[in-house]
């Protein structure tokens, strides 16, 4: 302490510092390694591990190469498979071509042996609109709208055409035979309630006693340009008549402007029903008469033109109760009217109501149909027309009459200077569908 320089602080000692110095002065034990040796030792281990990993990876690569070779065949194997596949495809193509060739030969032979089908439809009469079909003892009759004329210029209230024969090999047109105008008037005498003009869309039904009922529409003498339904009875069993009209009209619904286009059917229980059009469009004309393009249904709201079903008393000369509506026009589908009904019952027990829509003097005129399970309906309209402009080259087909067995149809279409020509065709009914065919099934 005496030798300490003045102003110099005395040294500081502790037990910990003394111990540390003692430890540093002790020699290292022979089993311990220095830090550098430990580092070199660890580096050596890492190198050995890396070498082991490389060796293992090298072995795996060899195995992968062998697996790859086994999964992917050599190009020579691929070529063999391709050749095999091409050969199989070639054989299959040859077989298919041979089958198609045999099928074509069969069709040619089959068609060459088939009987020639009559054209469909076939024009049989000029200036004979709204034909009403009747088959009696093997002869077909058509009763038409007047006016029309025979070669001598004679006018008829209800003209008649007939067709005899009609075998499949008939040169005159097939199943209907050759149609000819009879030159006779089915209704030579008229009732007091009607005028001499415009006897439209007649229909004839054979009664159980063999005599025939002629239903027609005539112009009401006290209400001109409006029509009522008349009925006449044949004097004998000859469908040519003459027919004697009843003294009063059968039906004339004034709320609908009268009635036109009657069509009769005998139901399964023997009851006669009559369906006709309520002529509502006749009450909706412009005074100037400039509305002919709209069939006189020109002033909105447009009038209803219902198809009415009337049950008849025994004998078919008197109505039994009130008529019921079974169909009416839908403007978007039918335009200003529906008309010209023809009602039949199919072999499957389905009632088919054929009718026309739109104006008869327009290209939109057509033949449609609706079906029902009961004669009183409800009737469901088919999704598309049976006949329309463009079908078979026809223009404005309509005013159709379907035979009672549902196998034949007669209708008119516009023939220009020849007027409304009468056409005939076959009808095939299957379930709820009807279609035009070359000949009846």
């Amino acid at each position: 302490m005496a030798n300490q320089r003045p102003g110099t602080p005395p040294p500081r000692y502790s037990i910990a510092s003394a111990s540390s110095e003692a430890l540093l002065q002790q020699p290292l034990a022979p089993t311990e390694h220095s830090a550098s040796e430990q580092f070199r030792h660890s580096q050596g281990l890492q190198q050995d591990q890396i070498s082991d990993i490389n060796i293992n990876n090298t072995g795996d690569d060899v195995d992968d190469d062998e697996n790859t070779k086994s999964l992917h065949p050599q190009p020579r194997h691929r070529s063999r498979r391709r050749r095999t596949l091409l050969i199989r495809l070639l054989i299959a193509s040859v077989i298919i071509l041979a089958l198609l060739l045999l099928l074509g030969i069969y069709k040619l032979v089959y068609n060459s042996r088939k009987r020639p089908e009559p054209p469909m439809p076939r024009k049989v009469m000029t200036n004979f609109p709204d034909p009403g079909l009747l088959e009696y003892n093997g002869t077909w009759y058509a009763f038409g709208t007047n006016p029309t004329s025979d070669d001598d210029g004679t006018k008829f209230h209800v003209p008649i055409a007939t067709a005899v024969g009609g075998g499949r090999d008939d040169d005159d047109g097939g199943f209907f035979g050759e149609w000819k105008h009879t030159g006779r008037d089915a209704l030579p005498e008229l009732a007091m309630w009607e005028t001499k003009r415009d006897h439209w869309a007649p229909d004839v039904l054979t009664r159980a006693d063999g005599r025939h009922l002629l239903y027609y529409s005539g112009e009401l003498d006290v209400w001109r340009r409006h029509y009522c339904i008349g009925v006449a009875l044949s004097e004998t069993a000859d469908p040519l008549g003459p027919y004697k009209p009843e003294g009063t009209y059968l039906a004339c619904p004034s709320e609908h402007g009268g009635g036109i286009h009657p069509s009769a059917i005998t139901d399964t229980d023997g009851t006669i029903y009559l369906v006709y059009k309520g002529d509502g469009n006749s009450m909706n004309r412009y005074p100037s008469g400039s509305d002919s393009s709209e069939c006189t249904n020109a002033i909105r709201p447009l009038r209803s033109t219902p198809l009415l079903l009337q049950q008849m008393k025994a004998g078919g000369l008197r109505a039994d109760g009130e008529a019921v509506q079974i169909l009416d026009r839908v403007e978007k589908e039918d335009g200003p009217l529906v008309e010209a009904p023809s009602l039949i019952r199919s072999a499957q027990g389905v009632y088919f109501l054929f009718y026309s829509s739109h104006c008869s003097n327009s290209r939109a005129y057509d033949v449609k149909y609706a079906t029902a399970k009961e004669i009183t309906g409800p009737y469901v309209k088919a999704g598309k027309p049976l006949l329309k402009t463009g079908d078979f080259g026809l223009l404005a087909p309509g005013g159709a009459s379907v035979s009672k067995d549902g196998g034949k149809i007669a209708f008119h279409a516009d023939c220009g200077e020849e007027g409304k020509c009468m056409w005939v065709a076959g009808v095939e009914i299957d379930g709820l569908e009807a279609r035009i065919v070359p000949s009846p099934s």
Side-chain angles (χ1 to χ4, degrees):
M1 297 294 291
N3 296 329
Q4 184 176 0
R5 183 179 297 178
T8 302
R12 300 175 63 182
Y13 294 96
S14 66
I15 297 175
S17 60
S19 301
S20 298
E21 290 178 359
L23 289 172
L24 290 173
Q25 292 177 0
Q26 291 180 1
L28 295 173
T31 57
E32 295 180 355
H33 300 281
S34 65
S36 60
E37 289 176 345
Q38 291 179 357
F39 175 77
R40 287 195 300 271
H41 179 69
S42 63
Q43 288 292 98
L45 288 175
Q46 291 178 4
Q47 291 294 331
D48 293 340
Q49 292 173 355
I50 292 172
S51 299
D52 293 339
I53 292 171
N54 289 337
I55 292 172
N56 291 334
N57 287 342
T58 302
D60 292 340
D61 291 341
V62 173
D63 293 339
D64 289 342
D65 290 340
E66 292 177 357
N67 292 334
T68 302
K69 291 179 181 179
S70 63
L71 291 174
H72 300 284
Q74 296 298 324
R76 184 173 56 185
H77 296 163
R78 294 178 183 174
S79 178
R80 289 178 181 175
R81 291 188 178 182
R82 288 176 181 173
R83 285 198 300 270
T84 303
L85 180 60
L86 289 175
I87 291 172
R88 290 177 179 176
L89 290 175
L90 181 61
I91 294 173
S93 300
V94 171
I95 293 174
I96 292 173
L97 289 174
L99 291 174
L100 291 175
L101 180 61
L102 290 174
L103 180 61
I105 295 173
Y106 172 78
K107 286 184 176 180
L108 287 174
V109 174
Y110 177 77
N111 291 333
S112 65
R113 293 180 178 179
K114 288 178 64 178
R115 293 179 177 179
E117 299 287 1
M120 61 174 194
R122 180 170 63 97
K123 184 174 72 173
V124 295
M125 299 287 294
T126 60
N127 197 18
F128 204 94
D130 303 312
L133 273 182
L134 173 70
E135 189 275 330
Y136 186 73
N137 288 343
T139 299
W140 286 96
Y141 300 82
F143 301 82
T145 286
N146 79 321
T148 187
S149 62
D150 198 7
D151 295 336
D152 61 0
T154 304
K155 297 293 183 180
F156 304 94
H157 299 120
V158 178
I160 310 172
T162 60
V164 181
R168 289 290 298 274
D169 297 325
D170 196 318
D171 293 335
D172 292 314
F175 55 89
F176 262 119
E178 181 183 5
W179 285 90
K180 294 181 179 180
H181 201 297
T182 63
R184 298 177 63 171
D185 187 354
L187 194 65
E189 297 182 7
L190 302 176
M192 295 295 294
W193 60 268
E194 58 189 319
T195 68
K196 294 182 179 181
R197 52 170 282 172
D198 294 347
H199 290 80
W200 290 347
D203 191 47
V204 174
L205 179 72
T206 302
R207 295 197 315 188
D209 62 359
R211 297 173 72 182
H212 310 282
L213 293 162
L214 170 66
Y215 296 98
Y216 64 96
S217 48
E219 185 184 42
L220 192 61
D221 186 48
V222 297
W223 196 17
R224 298 297 177 95
R225 302 182 72 182
H226 294 275
Y227 300 81
C228 301
I229 304 299
V231 58
L233 181 64
S234 67
E235 297 180 357
T236 66
D238 186 356
L240 294 176
Y243 292 80
K244 183 178 180 180
E246 291 293 293
T248 59
Y249 51 75
L250 173 62
C252 196
S254 58
E255 69 275 19
H256 294 302
I260 59 174
H261 297 170
S263 175
I265 179 177
T266 302
D267 205 8
T268 53
D269 62 356
T271 303
I272 296 175
Y273 287 87
L274 188 71
V275 59
Y276 62 93
K277 171 199 173 186
D279 199 21
N281 52 299
S282 67
M283 301 180 68
N284 203 21
R285 66 179 82 246
Y286 287 123
S288 63
S290 61
D291 56 317
S292 60
S293 62
E294 293 297 331
C295 310
T296 70
N297 203 2
I299 305 173
R300 293 189 177 276
L302 302 186
R303 292 271 186 166
S304 171
T305 61
L307 300 184
L308 304 171
L309 182 71
Q310 176 66 65
Q311 181 174 329
M312 303 297 293
K313 292 183 178 180
L317 296 173
R318 299 285 184 272
D320 187 3
E322 298 294 326
V324 295
Q325 177 179 315
I326 57 175
L327 200 76
D328 201 354
R329 68 178 188 86
V330 175
E331 185 171 357
K332 185 177 180 180
E333 302 172 1
D334 307 313
L337 58 80
V338 290
E339 63 182 16
S342 178
L343 182 60
I344 67 164
R345 185 177 185 272
S346 73
Q348 293 81 25
V350 179
Y351 292 91
F352 277 75
L353 177 63
F354 298 88
Y355 63 96
S356 290
S357 68
H358 300 281
C359 298
S360 62
N361 59 357
S362 75
R363 293 177 60 88
Y365 204 55
D366 55 19
V367 178
K368 297 178 178 177
Y369 66 93
T371 58
K373 295 181 179 179
E374 303 291 338
I375 193 169
T376 54
Y379 284 84
V380 179
K381 294 181 177 181
K384 61 181 180 179
L386 180 68
L387 285 168
K388 65 182 186 303
T389 293
D391 293 347
F392 313 109
L394 298 169
L395 176 60
S401 175
V402 178
S403 60
K404 304 308 178 186
D405 64 358
K408 299 177 176 66
I409 185 173
F411 59 93
H412 72 246
D414 194 339
C415 292
E417 295 182 357
E418 293 180 328
K420 295 185 184 298
C421 299
M422 173 180 162
W423 297 71
V424 295
V427 178
E428 184 175 79
I429 291 177
D430 183 11
L432 300 178
E433 295 184 1
R435 56 183 174 271
I436 301 296
V437 295
S439 61
S441 57

